[in-house]
Amino acid sequence: MKNINLNTWVLVYDGKNIITIVEPGYKTTTPFVLKEFNTKEEMQDYIIENNLVKADEQI
Amino acid sequence: MKKILIFLLLSFALYPQGLSKFPSGLSKWLPFYAGSSANVDTLAFYASLIDTNSNPPFRMSINASSVTMSLKGTGLIRVVWGDGSYSDSLLTSTAKSVSHTYSSSAARNVVIYNSAKITYFASTDGANYNFDWAQTNRMRLTYFACTGSNTLSGTLTLPSSMTFFLCLGSNTLSGTLTLPSSMTTFQCGGSNTLTGTLTLPSSMTYFVCSGSNTLTGTLTLPASMTYFNCQGSNTLNGYTTQTFNNNMNHLYLITTSGAGFSAAEVDRLIIDLDNSAWAGGSRTLRLTGSAIAPPTEASAAAITSLETKLVTVITN
């Protein structure tokens, strides 16, 4: 379990599918992989490089 | 007399179904059809093309190299594709794929004649549909789904018979959101500006509304609902307590203005949601926005419990 509250972009994924994306400033608890980025662009690059799949239309 | 006999023999040879019920008024331009039920339906279809005042066609612009629509309905329609070609389709209660491939990708005006026969419209091909929602009253829709980079505009008025509405893209729909009593699914993406008091029908299972909406009301979900996502400038506020569906999958609420939700209300909501078993992938609970208080220690155990149910929890 991970619980953060930082000024970073947070990507939550289960190894392949993206569970959700959290903007800076919010508290997140999740049983899944949680990776932080300083900018949205860094996060988007990571998603492309690792071929992660959007599991939800709302992400 | 000899000429008449030859004519009749040729006619029966070409149209063995018979010659009855042929409407004489259409004989100047219609093909010479016989009187089987299918052809009577065909004749009614052609007649509807003439009477476009009482049965106006559905017009839209599509920007794509190919289009595929899945349609259901109660009779014949004609789709004029905007490149000089058209397709006729007999719609039934079984979904029929109506498709067309263009020579190139470009914006074209597409017209559907006899659109009142359409009850089900679905397109997931990513073609960019552009039309005023008001025109959909020319159909008899119970189901509408359209994904892609659409630009639907106008006032969103949902027919009382509608059960399913899904439209993604850069839509700019406006108006007071009134959900028909039989609706089960509503999803509207884009820069919409929907207003009104959010009242969710008892049969509803799925609700997603994004954009700059200004929906109001207290938060109460129907017992059947498993997916709720409300964003925008909504002023939803207040929560008492309720039992949530045991297959809850997604509750995503961002509220940035209005009275919002107190810490006690947020705690109560989280605890109530933990009483559901939750189900499905990407389980998410999000309660954020400046008008929603952070949870307190009162709901800490519930949040931990939700994590064991594979729920990602996001709060202020």
Side-chain angles (χ1 to χ4, degrees), chain A residues 1 12 18-23 26-32 55-58, chain B residues 168 187 208 227 229 231 250 282 286 288 303 307 310-316:
Chain A
M1 309 280 181
V12 180
I18 300 171
I19 306 298
T20 194
I21 290 167
V22 187
E23 307 88 337
Y26 296 115
K27 188 174 181 179
T28 309
T29 62
T30 181
F32 298 105
D56 190 300
E57 288 285 356
Q58 294 307 304
Chain B
L168 303 178
Q187 180 167 0
V208 177
Y227 199 109
N229 187 317
Q231 303 176 48
H250 188 102
S282 303
R286 176 168 183 152
T288 62
I303 290 175
E307 288 179 56
L310 305 182
V311 180
T312 296
V313 181
I314 307 160
T315 57
N316 285 319

Side-chain angles (χ1 to χ4, degrees), chain B residues 27 33 57 68 83 91-92 167 172-173 193 209 217 243 249 260 278 303:
Chain B
S27 60
Y33 273 99
T68 301
D83 63 351
L91 302 183
T92 66
C167 188
T172 55
L173 294 163
T193 53
C209 191
T243 300
N249 175 258
W278 289 70
I303 290 175

Side-chain angles (χ1 to χ4, degrees), chain B residues 120-140:
Chain B
Y120 176 107
F121 181 103
S123 176
T124 56
D125 59 0
N128 303 332
Y129 292 78
N130 183 334
F131 59 86
D132 186 334
W133 179 258
Q135 279 198 84
T136 58
N137 67 6
R138 297 169 183 184
M139 300 190 266
R140 301 291 179 269

Side-chain angles (χ1 to χ4, degrees), chain B residues 4 37 43 68 77 85 96 105 163 173 197 214 234 264 282 284:
Chain B
I4 292 172
S37 60
L43 291 169
T68 301
I77 63 158
S85 63
K96 183 166 193 171
S105 182
T163 61
L173 294 163
T197 302
T214 53
N234 74 78
S282 303
T284 309

Side-chain angles (χ1 to χ4, degrees), chain B residues 43-44 64 88 134 144 192 212 229 231 248 273 292 296 311 313:
Chain B
L43 291 169
D88 288 346
F144 177 85
N192 309 298
S212 301
N229 187 317
Q231 303 176 48
M248 198 71 200
L273 284 162
I292 298 182
T296 70
V311 180
V313 181

